[in-house]
Amino acid sequence: MTGLFLAVIFSAAFGHVMRYGQHREQNMLWVAPANYWTATAVCLLFWFIGPDPALSWNKVLAGVVAGVALGTAYYLLNLSIKLTGVGVAQSVGRLSVAVPVLASIVVWNEQPGLARIMGFLLALIAIPMLTQGRGLVGSQRNKLKPLVLFGSFVTIGIVGVAMKSYSHTDAPHEMVFLTLMFLTAAVGTQTVVLVKPKPPRPSDI
């Protein structure tokens, strides 16, 4: 229960930090690699002081897929917050749990209970409702809102599916997955800022 509580707190804080950076006109492209390199370093530390799990191609693949989706989700979340605000953008992210739930039923033949089925159906109902409204910027940009929110829903959901896939590997060690995921996201987002060079300010980092 404590882990769930902390996950909610830190996840909500992440969205508000992004909104704060947008208000201060930070270079949000540089915020992404700074964030993911930091997360990679922390996960590596816990990996080294923990047990030494054996790597396999399916573990690496799950981490890399999650990292690509996570890096993509960052840019979509950044745009979603601009278009809809932190509350709606992060609500869509929470609802993306429906994607790994569906994958668990279809791929891993898990039997859903009534609560899981009802939650899945409510998520499908809620997502279109969250795309309504004026948003936070001009109406001409609001045409992008459903597409951006759907993209955020899918990419965050893919991260969840990759986590579920990793949990089905032999002797999974969460720090291995997290390190691979954050490292892939860090390399990807770092490549973006190198392709579009704009020196970061200390406040961006």
Side-chain angles (χ1 to χ4, degrees):
M1 191 67 181
T2 302
L4 178 61
F5 175 76
L6 291 176
V8 171
I9 294 298
F10 284 116
S11 179
F14 183 78
H16 286 284
V17 168
M18 289 186 67
R19 188 61 182 159
Y20 175 77
Q22 291 174 356
H23 274 299
R24 289 174 56 89
E25 298 184 349
Q26 304 291 156
N27 185 349
M28 300 305 291
L29 291 180
W30 271 103
V31 172
N35 169 63
Y36 293 130
W37 284 123
T38 302
T40 300
V42 172
C43 290
L44 274 174
L45 176 62
F46 282 102
W47 183 352
F48 289 148
I49 64 178
D52 186 19
L55 288 178
S56 60
W57 70 267
N58 53 340
K59 294 179 182 179
V60 174
L61 180 62
V64 170
V65 169
V68 172
L70 186 65
T72 305
Y74 171 86
Y75 299 114
L76 291 170
L77 177 62
N78 183 44
L79 184 54
S80 296
I81 291 174
K82 289 181 180 179
L83 291 170
T84 66
V86 176
V88 171
Q90 291 204 307
S91 294
V92 170
R94 297 290 173 276
L95 292 171
S96 67
V97 71
V99 179
V101 167
L102 181 61
S104 297
I105 298 170
V106 175
V107 179
W108 292 285
N109 298 316
E110 294 185 5
Q111 297 300 316
L114 178 61
R116 183 176 291 188
I117 294 174
M118 293 300 297
F120 180 79
L121 293 176
L122 288 173
L124 294 181
I125 295 171
I127 293 170
M129 296 175 64
L130 289 170
T131 65
Q132 305 303 311
R134 296 181 58 185
L136 298 179
V137 295
S139 59
Q140 71 276 13
R141 292 286 300 277
N142 284 345
K143 296 177 181 178
L144 291 174
K145 186 166 59 174
L147 182 61
V148 171
L149 288 174
F150 179 74
S152 181
F153 172 83
V154 171
T155 51
I156 298 174
I158 290 173
V159 174
V161 173
M163 288 182 177
K164 184 70 176 179
S165 174
Y166 186 85
S167 70
H168 281 270
T169 62
D170 56 305
H173 186 293
E174 63 273 11
M175 283 304 153
V176 175
F177 174 82
L178 292 174
T179 301
L180 292 170
M181 178 180 70
F182 287 129
L183 178 60
T184 302
V187 171
T189 53
Q190 186 71 62
T191 302
V192 170
V193 296
L194 292 177
V195 171
K196 290 188 173 183
K198 182 181 179 181
R201 295 171 293 178
S203 56
D204 297 331
I205 305 301

